[in-house]
């Protein structure tokens, strides 16, 4: 059995980045064998990471990687904003974006299995969970291929990311469109892209809200009134129907037409959107931890 010296503990800590106490315990459990202690720390860390996997991670950052023919965008989540601001966290999400761009995986399962330079991306993620003590998730990714025009991307404060591929149009216009998408959050490109079930659901809402206004009016007038409200709804949720943020007197569609341009596709990620966050009482949490 090798003597557990301070130097040995420090060597294991430098090698694994684990806490001093954990390193000492691992060395004691393995008779001072550095390799076995490092493996024990790794396995213990993975076990801890799995236990944290059910905790809500709704903070995080968006990262992008740009290539000659495509742009990859990734959302990486943590439990707290503090962790998401760390250099290791930011470096990891950038690595994930670069791997996604280079390898073009078919889905999240395939992405997690890809080698990120220090093992599979999911293994690296779990190691971060064990080290940091928070649940960390690679929530989603997309690789947007370049179309016949330019492709542009925009990140607002690391919390909102947008990629816009132009079917026809220059890079400067594409970036303006990307900034508009970040600010106005259109759900669809144009009216043809709006699913019928979305329109049907909105029609029901409009009918319910307009019941009193429709009372006593001719059926054709009511129908026109309803369709007008549906058209307004469609313009609000589609990129080409929205007022352009830099010139609200002009729609994005009118801007594109005047510029002889066309958008092929766009994708917008906002950190934590759609995640149900846990309501927490911070004062109660502190009191509980203090045993009060």
């Amino acid at each position: 059995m090798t003597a557990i010296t301070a130097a040995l503990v420090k060597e294991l800590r430098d090698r694994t980045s684990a806490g001093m106490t954990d390193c000492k315990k691992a060395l004691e459990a393995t008779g001072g064998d550095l390799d076995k202690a490092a493996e024990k720390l790794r396995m213990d860390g993975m076990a801890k990471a799995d236990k944290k996997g059910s905790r809500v991670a709704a903070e995080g950052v968006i990262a992008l990687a740009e290539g000659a023919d495509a742009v990859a965008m990734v959302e990486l989540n943590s439990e707290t904003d503090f962790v998401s601001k760390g250099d290791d966290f930011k470096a990891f999400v950038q690595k994930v974006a670069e791997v996604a761009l280079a390898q073009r995986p078919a889905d999240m399962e395939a992405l997690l299995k890809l080698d990120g330079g220090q093992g599979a991306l999911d293994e690296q993620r779990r190691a971060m969970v064990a080290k940091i003590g928070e649940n960390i998730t690679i929530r989603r990714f997309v690789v947007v291929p370049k179309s016949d025009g330019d492709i542009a991307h925009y990140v607002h404060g690391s919390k909102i990311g947008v990629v816009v591929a132009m079917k026809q149009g220059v890079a400067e216009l594409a970036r303006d469109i990307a900034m508009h998408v970040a600010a106005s959050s259109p759900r669809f490109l144009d009216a043809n892209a709006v699913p019928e079930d979305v329109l049907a659901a909105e029609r029901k809402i409009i009918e319910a809200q307009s019941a009193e206004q429709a009372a006593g009016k001719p059926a054709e007038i009511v129908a026109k009134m309803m369709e007008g409200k549906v058209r307004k709804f469609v313009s609000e949720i589609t990129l080409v129907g929205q007022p352009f943020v830099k010139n609200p007197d002009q729609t994005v569609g009118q801007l594109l037409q005047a510029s002889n341009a066309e958008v092929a596709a766009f994708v917008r990620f906002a950190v934590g959107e759609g995640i149900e966050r846990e309501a927490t009482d911070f004062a109660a949490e502190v009191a509980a931890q203090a045993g009060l």
Side-chain angles (χ1 to χ4, degrees):
M1 177 175 174
T2 304
I4 313 300
T5 62
L8 192 63
V9 173
K10 183 179 183 303
E11 185 178 350
L12 181 59
R13 185 177 187 278
D14 291 341
R15 178 170 165 179
T16 63
S17 297
M20 294 291 280
T21 301
D22 290 337
C23 289
K24 185 172 184 294
K25 288 179 178 179
L27 285 166
E28 289 173 345
T30 56
D33 188 308
L34 264 177
D35 292 335
K36 289 182 179 179
E39 179 63 15
K40 177 174 173 52
L41 284 171
R42 191 182 77 85
M43 297 306 295
D44 289 349
M46 294 303 179
K48 290 178 183 177
D50 290 339
K51 288 180 181 178
K52 294 180 175 72
S54 62
R55 298 194 330 211
V56 175
E59 299 295 338
V61 297
I62 305 293
L64 297 105
E66 183 177 11
D69 63 340
V71 173
M73 182 163 59
V74 173
E75 178 183 356
L76 183 68
N77 296 125
S78 58
E79 293 180 46
T80 65
D81 192 47
F82 175 78
V83 165
S84 71
K85 291 178 179 177
D87 290 341
D88 289 348
F89 190 91
K90 291 178 180 178
F92 180 59
V93 68
Q94 188 60 44
K95 171 59 68 177
V96 176
E98 290 168 0
V99 170
L101 177 65
Q103 300 295 325
R104 314 287 170 95
D107 50 31
M108 182 59 70
E109 183 179 359
L111 174 67
L112 294 175
K113 293 177 181 177
L114 293 176
D115 187 357
Q118 295 177 322
L121 290 175
D122 195 47
E123 289 183 5
Q124 293 184 47
R125 179 195 67 81
R126 292 170 68 195
M128 287 183 67
V129 174
K131 178 182 176 181
I132 295 172
E134 281 193 16
N135 188 21
I136 293 171
T137 60
I138 304 172
R139 185 187 181 200
R140 52 183 171 170
F141 79 97
V142 65
V143 179
V144 181
K146 186 176 182 180
S147 187
D148 295 329
D150 277 307
I151 190 168
H153 55 81
Y154 173 71
V155 178
H156 184 75
S158 80
K159 298 298 183 181
I160 297 175
V162 177
V163 182
V164 173
M166 305 294 289
K167 189 175 293 185
Q168 187 175 327
V170 297
E172 185 179 354
L173 177 61
R175 181 165 173 80
D176 279 347
I177 299 297
M179 292 176 69
H180 171 92
V181 171
S184 299
S185 189
R187 293 168 59 189
F188 308 101
L189 176 58
D190 54 27
N192 293 329
V194 181
E196 185 55 42
D197 61 333
V198 173
L199 291 175
E202 185 62 22
R203 283 195 178 95
K204 287 184 179 179
I205 294 172
I206 291 172
E207 288 172 3
Q209 292 176 341
S210 306
E212 289 186 11
Q213 296 177 4
K217 289 185 174 65
E220 62 272 17
I221 298 298
V222 173
K224 288 182 179 179
M225 183 177 69
M226 296 295 182
E227 285 308 308
K229 290 186 176 182
V230 170
R231 284 196 299 273
K232 183 175 184 294
F233 167 72
V234 170
S235 70
E236 290 172 347
I237 65 171
T238 56
L239 173 61
V240 298
Q242 292 179 338
F244 181 45
V245 290
K246 285 189 171 183
N247 178 15
D249 294 330
Q250 182 183 45
T251 67
V252 173
Q254 290 169 339
L255 169 67
L256 291 168
Q257 188 173 15
S259 306
N260 192 28
E262 186 178 355
V263 174
F266 72 89
V267 182
R268 179 185 189 273
F269 282 178
V271 168
E273 62 185 350
I275 298 176
E276 187 174 345
R277 299 169 186 254
E278 293 179 340
T280 58
D281 184 334
F282 183 69
E285 185 178 323
V286 172
Q289 290 182 1
L292 301 177

